[in-house]
Amino acid sequence: MTTGLPIEARLDALQAALGSHARALLVAEPGAGKTTRVPLALLEAPWAREGKLLLLEPRRVAARLAAGFMAESLGEKVGERVGYRMRGESRVGPATRLEVVTQGVLTRMLQDDPLLEGVAGVIFDEFHERSLEADLGLALALDAQSVRDDLRLLVMSATLDVEALLGVLGDDTPVIDCPGRSYPVETRYRSLNARDDGAVQQARALLEAMQAQEGDALVILPGVGEIRRLARELAGRAPDLVVMELHGRLPLAAQRRALRPDPDGRRRAVLATAIAESSVTVDGVRLVMDAGHQRVAVFQPRTGLTRLETRRVNRASADQRRGRAGRQGPGLCLRLWAEEQPLIPHGEPEIRQADLAPLAFELARWGIVEPEALAWVTPPPAAALSVARELLRRLGLLDDACHLTELGRAATRWPTHPRLAVMLERAAELGARPLACALVAALEGRDLDDERDLERALQARLKAPDAHRQWQRDARQLARIAGVKLEVTGLAPLGALLALAYPERIAQRLEAPGRFRLASGGLATLPESHPLAHAELLVAAELDGEASGARIFRAAALSAERLEALYPGIREWQPRLEWSEAQGRLVGERVRGLGAVVLERKPLAELPAEAVRAALLEALRRRGLPQDDALIQLRGRLALLRRALGEAWPDWSEAALLDTLDDWLGPHLDGITRLDAVERLPMARFLLDGLDWPLRSRLDALAPMRLAVPSGASHRVDYAPCLEGKPPVLAVKLQECFGWQASPRVADGREAVLLHLLSPARSPLQVTADLASFWASGYPEVRKEMRGRYPKHPWPEDPVTAEATARTKRRG
């Protein structure tokens, strides 16, 4: 088959590379045709004839459309030689040799069959998007390839960090470059007024640009809400313009219609999410209007919550979007931001900002405890992975050694987030497995965004399932796995089901309606008019991610009896001590509850010593280290030496010391019950006593507390600025420095001391770390101005040879 696409000229080189190597990289610019031509060409390779190929696409829409296009080019229907597979939807048959799959499907295929029997090769498309599942899939596939050396892996993208990938795949991996097919694209900029309606300004800008540029328009917006607002505005302003949407919630037929020109030849404006940035080509487009933003799900390890943020697009993505205007002829790209607006070069890999609970669960399934055992393009951040594993332990999926528990092994059958897998698995305890299937399908559905009342949303789906086809399909798939019929008899267990998946989001109402304390310790709010604002207990299925005062979007009520039945440990009384800022003392009590949710409390007659110590240290962590000068100076000295001489010197930053309070301060708290007494302790001495002797013996020589000056006196060095990465400071009268030819240095001569040169009245005259330069160029001006003001003090013409003094001129 000859298509005239640029990739045609590279297919022979690609075939040769994969004929002699197990791995290859393909860097193909937008418009090259890599997504649809490369997989079909590789099907004919000798190594692929005995198995099938998997083509991984980052988005469901792209997977369906790519499979449809390739099947059509072969004169076949989807499901014959070319098919697709994604969660809840599959169109493959016995003759299928090329499966287009979404990235999570590959992970499940590998977990079910680590050798990928029957698969000849895996192609990672659009790898530059760096989704979490693509990174995990590549790491697992490389591990599988270490056992199956006949398995071929191809990573391809429009833009790749080749050096980073070669570090994982091997320096001998062949790299094939392919230019795209692109016509000239003019780029214009038009910034919007933040005070005016965005959709109105966007509509005006688009219609003006369409007057200047022929062809259809592609408008890339951050989300479905923005798409629909602009569509309404365009309908009122340009009724003859065909406005079409392109995003993941649309049926496949509507998505395919959006890619093709209007059959009656009318001009179109296709309003799309970032799905149109890569993978698919919208036919007929000669104008791209880029709103310049994207939605990014950012996980916050400190709170355990994920927050959807709207961010500026990165430069690589902006260039990808711009290229869409030049696929089929000269085009125009209108960027809705100022030309001088800076853009970061690339987006962050999802693995650095995502919830890593699914990854931690998959690693445990793969038998990996230390992630370093796998080859990662970007390793999972240790802090986020630790938070994820702690969540999985709390849910009962992992043991202390990070191995799967019995519940964890049972939960592997569910193709969902580990939280929801726990809900589905444990729903049998409540006799509510059908309801759990319906609930999970709704929570993971793409059509729930505008429905905040979870109970009402479920009732609507259960009463009219045919009006919610995707939900119905997903719920039935889960019910099949569970071996039950999708027959829900009532919604009473709704709150209990959510509590199984979100134990840290169980919330207890405070005094005011709508204000709740989460089990994790944070605050959350509902409008006072909300039906659940007066509930004693509820479970939040969705929060906005703000740690202090998070807004609750979807929730269900929960009874204390249900909570105790789900978490029997609540029935046990536990001692709890907290520092009360209001009372200025420790408050001790016995409580029954889950985290910060307390169902019952009693006064504690006696305060256990260990609990007192832990409560005092926790109070100090919240308040921070005392502003004690001796402590500040010591920490500054260590910060300077660590920066100048290396990590042999310990990290005594406030964060590090607060993290290790138990080790260096805890042993000194015997008999202390008040926080003010803790703050008066000689913390600097405790730290100094714990410093290794080889370092302590050098401390005073490398970072002296006082420095001798030419006048014969010694003055205190201020190391507090070193805590902010600045040099230490020596404040000294200018006359005492006569004779010094250069600024003094500390840390074995590696750091110049910043001199604050003072007048005889100790007011600042000059700040310098280069005394020689000051004597040569700055001092003459200071002398001219100061000698008349302070005539009793010496102001010699040559300060380098003059005698330093702290006194006035000698009387003759």
Side-chain angles (χ1 to χ4, degrees):
M1 178 196 320
T2 301
T3 63
L5 292 168
I7 194 64
E8 298 289 345
R10 297 292 189 271
L11 290 178
D12 287 345
L14 186 58
Q15 293 276 25
L18 286 172
S20 56
H21 295 78
R23 305 166 186 171
L25 299 181
L26 172 61
V27 183
E29 294 179 9
K34 65 183 184 306
T35 299
T36 54
R37 280 299 295 127
V38 168
L40 292 178
L42 293 182
L43 278 179
E44 306 305 319
W47 54 265
R49 289 175 185 159
E50 298 303 318
K52 66 172 62 174
L53 294 182
L54 302 179
L55 171 65
L56 270 74
E57 287 296 331
R59 298 182 178 90
R60 296 164 68 99
V61 174
R64 290 193 192 100
L65 294 174
F69 184 88
M70 287 188 285
E72 190 175 300
S73 69
L74 295 174
E76 299 176 353
K77 294 180 179 179
V78 175
E80 296 182 34
R81 272 185 291 175
V82 180
Y84 67 78
R85 190 192 302 267
M86 59 193 67
R87 184 184 155 192
E89 191 176 348
S90 176
R91 293 187 64 181
V92 297
T96 301
R97 293 194 53 231
L98 171 60
E99 287 190 24
V100 186
V101 300
T102 48
Q103 292 165 337
V105 170
L106 174 66
T107 303
R108 294 196 68 80
M109 293 175 76
L110 280 160
Q111 295 284 15
D112 292 340
D113 178 10
L115 295 182
L116 284 182
E117 296 287 356
V119 175
V122 183
I123 304 169
F124 293 80
D125 193 19
E126 306 295 352
F127 193 78
H128 70 276
E129 295 194 8
R130 297 300 308 280
S131 73
L132 175 63
E133 289 177 330
D135 275 20
L136 174 62
L138 181 58
L140 297 183
L142 287 168
D143 202 40
Q145 196 183 51
S146 66
V147 181
R148 259 200 66 192
D149 56 8
D150 63 325
L151 179 66
R152 300 301 202 276
L153 300 179
L154 172 63
V155 179
M156 59 186 197
S157 172
T159 56
L160 278 179
D161 185 345
V162 173
E163 186 176 342
L165 274 160
L166 289 179
V168 171
L169 301 179
D171 292 335
D172 60 341
T173 302
V175 180
I176 293 91
D177 285 295
C178 179
R181 184 177 65 184
S182 183
Y183 293 88
V185 176
E186 179 189 356
T187 304
R188 297 179 187 173
Y189 293 85
R190 177 169 174 164
S191 58
L192 304 185
N193 189 333
R195 294 188 296 273
D196 296 337
D197 186 280
V200 171
Q201 295 180 83
Q202 290 167 355
R204 189 184 303 127
L206 176 62
L207 295 175
E208 290 175 7
M210 292 187 76
Q211 291 177 356
Q213 175 65 45
E214 62 182 9
D216 290 343
L218 172 64
V219 182
I220 302 180
L221 297 160
V224 176
E226 290 85 352
I227 286 175
R228 291 179 177 165
R229 283 192 289 273
L230 180 55
R232 287 193 295 268
E233 189 64 31
L234 289 172
R237 289 173 175 265
D240 294 334
L241 180 66
V242 178
V243 178
M244 307 193 76
E245 299 182 11
L246 179 58
H247 51 77
R249 297 186 198 169
L250 295 174
L252 177 59
Q255 293 168 357
R256 298 189 70 174
R257 280 197 303 272
L259 300 185
R260 294 171 176 165
D262 183 70
D264 298 324
R266 295 173 297 175
R267 293 191 76 184
R268 303 183 309 148
V270 179
L271 314 184
T273 57
I275 185 178
E277 186 177 306
S278 56
S279 300
V280 298
T281 296
V282 184
D283 202 9
V285 166
R286 301 281 291 279
L287 166 66
V288 167
M289 188 172 84
D290 183 0
H293 290 90
Q294 58 188 346
R295 290 273 157 72
V296 180
V298 180
F299 182 65
Q300 300 164 309
R302 187 171 61 87
T303 63
L305 303 175
T306 296
R307 183 178 186 179
L308 201 60
E309 294 185 358
T310 301
R311 292 182 171 179
R312 283 272 177 198
V313 70
N314 61 74
R315 190 162 60 242
S317 292
D319 290 343
Q320 284 267 86
R321 296 175 178 190
R322 176 183 180 276
R324 296 281 144 178
R327 287 287 183 90
Q328 297 172 323
L332 170 66
C333 176
L334 177 61
R335 291 173 165 173
L336 299 183
W337 64 85
E339 187 171 2
E340 60 272 16
Q341 171 71 47
L343 301 178
I344 61 172
H346 299 279
E348 278 281 297
E350 189 181 3
I351 201 169
R352 287 184 178 161
Q353 54 192 4
D355 172 12
L356 295 190
L359 181 139
F361 188 56
E362 296 297 344
L363 289 181
R365 288 186 66 187
W366 197 253
I368 293 291
V369 173
E370 298 300 331
E372 295 81 7
L374 296 177
W376 302 91
V377 180
T378 301
L385 185 61
S386 175
V387 169
R389 285 173 162 171
E390 179 54 37
L391 170 64
L392 298 184
R393 280 190 284 266
R394 193 183 310 127
L395 292 171
L397 296 170
L398 294 187
D399 60 22
D400 291 339
C402 295
H403 298 136
L404 290 177
T405 61
E406 183 178 348
L407 175 62
R409 288 187 291 274
T412 60
R413 64 177 172 151
W414 303 103
T416 63
H417 190 286
R419 289 182 182 275
L420 303 180
V422 170
M423 179 201 296
L424 289 162
E425 195 60 36
R426 294 190 60 190
E429 301 170 19
L430 303 169
R433 186 76 51 78
L435 176 59
C437 295
L439 176 57
V440 169
L443 290 174
E444 292 197 321
R446 297 167 180 266
D447 61 344
L448 197 62
D449 288 4
D450 299 327
E451 301 177 66
R452 296 304 183 196
D453 189 318
L454 194 54
E455 188 168 332
R456 188 180 303 169
L458 267 178
Q459 288 172 338
R461 283 155 177 75
L462 291 167
K463 287 179 180 177
D466 290 343
H468 303 274
R469 293 291 179 85
Q470 186 62 52
W471 167 84
Q472 185 182 44
R473 193 159 41 238
D474 292 346
R476 283 179 173 172
Q477 182 203 17
L478 294 172
R480 281 194 297 272
I481 295 173
V484 298
K485 292 183 179 180
L486 193 63
E487 297 176 352
V488 178
T489 56
L491 302 184
L494 191 59
L497 289 172
L498 290 175
L500 291 171
Y502 303 102
E504 80 284 8
R505 297 187 196 173
I506 296 168
Q508 184 174 36
R509 183 171 59 81
L510 302 176
E511 293 80 7
R515 286 183 56 80
F516 293 85
R517 173 78 67 189
L518 297 166
S520 61
L523 295 174
T525 60
L526 277 173
E528 289 189 24
S529 59
H530 195 282
L532 293 175
H534 292 270
E536 290 298 323
L537 293 172
L538 57 75
V539 189
E542 185 181 337
L543 301 166
D544 69 355
E546 291 291 347
S548 57
R551 289 178 301 163
I552 299 172
F553 290 125
R554 297 190 184 97
L558 178 68
S559 69
E561 293 75 22
R562 284 275 199 189
L563 181 58
E564 289 188 27
L566 294 175
Y567 297 100
I570 289 175
R571 299 189 178 106
E572 298 179 9
W573 289 89
Q574 301 289 338
R576 177 180 295 179
L577 281 84
E578 292 182 345
W579 177 260
S580 170
E581 292 287 352
Q583 300 179 47
R585 65 183 183 86
L586 283 175
V587 175
E589 56 187 3
R590 295 170 65 218
V591 299
R592 289 195 313 106
L594 185 69
V597 170
V598 177
L599 300 182
E600 196 174 358
R601 63 181 81 226
K602 296 179 181 178
L604 197 59
E606 184 178 348
L607 306 184
E610 281 300 317
V612 170
R613 182 182 294 110
L616 286 171
L617 293 177
E618 182 56 34
L620 188 60
R621 286 190 185 96
R622 288 198 301 268
R623 183 176 290 191
L625 295 175
Q627 295 303 303
D628 173 71
D629 185 65
L631 180 59
I632 290 171
Q633 293 301 318
L634 179 61
R635 290 176 49 227
R637 296 165 78 193
L638 266 290
L640 168 68
L641 297 178
R642 183 176 172 84
R643 184 173 71 243
L645 300 177
E647 296 185 0
W649 294 87
D651 178 8
W652 282 356
S653 63
E654 181 163 25
L657 290 179
L658 290 176
D659 280 345
T660 56
L661 282 177
D662 294 324
D663 301 326
W664 65 271
L665 185 60
H668 302 282
L669 297 186
D670 289 346
I672 296 178
T673 59
R674 298 187 61 85
L675 187 57
D676 55 358
V678 175
E679 293 175 329
R680 289 196 298 270
L681 290 171
M683 296 186 188
R685 180 165 62 80
F686 297 157
L687 286 171
L688 204 53
D689 289 345
L691 189 64
D692 290 343
W693 174 247
L695 297 181
R696 183 171 179 178
S697 64
R698 300 172 61 206
L699 176 61
D700 289 339
L702 294 171
M705 297 178 67
R706 302 182 70 84
L707 278 178
V709 299
S711 68
S714 69
H715 292 281
R716 176 179 179 270
V717 182
D718 183 8
Y719 287 94
C722 299
L723 293 171
E724 300 177 1
K726 298 175 182 177
V729 169
L730 177 67
V732 60
K733 288 182 182 180
L734 185 147
Q735 282 77 9
E736 294 192 67
C737 298
F738 293 159
W740 247 349
Q741 297 187 18
S743 299
R745 305 183 74 85
V746 294
D748 206 16
R750 300 187 187 210
E751 184 86 20
V753 175
L754 190 66
L755 294 174
H756 285 206
L757 300 175
L758 309 177
S759 73
R762 302 196 67 80
S763 59
L765 290 177
Q766 184 71 31
V767 174
T768 181
D770 186 351
L771 190 58
S773 177
F774 169 69
W775 289 143
S777 58
Y779 174 72
E781 287 297 320
V782 172
R783 177 177 182 266
K784 184 188 301 183
E785 183 180 345
M786 292 291 116
R787 63 189 300 193
R789 187 178 301 179
Y790 299 102
K792 295 182 179 181
H793 294 264
W795 300 95
E797 289 188 14
D798 184 2
V800 176
T801 60
E803 182 182 354
T805 180
R807 303 175 182 272
T808 57
K809 295 177 182 176
R810 292 192 179 96
R811 296 181 185 273

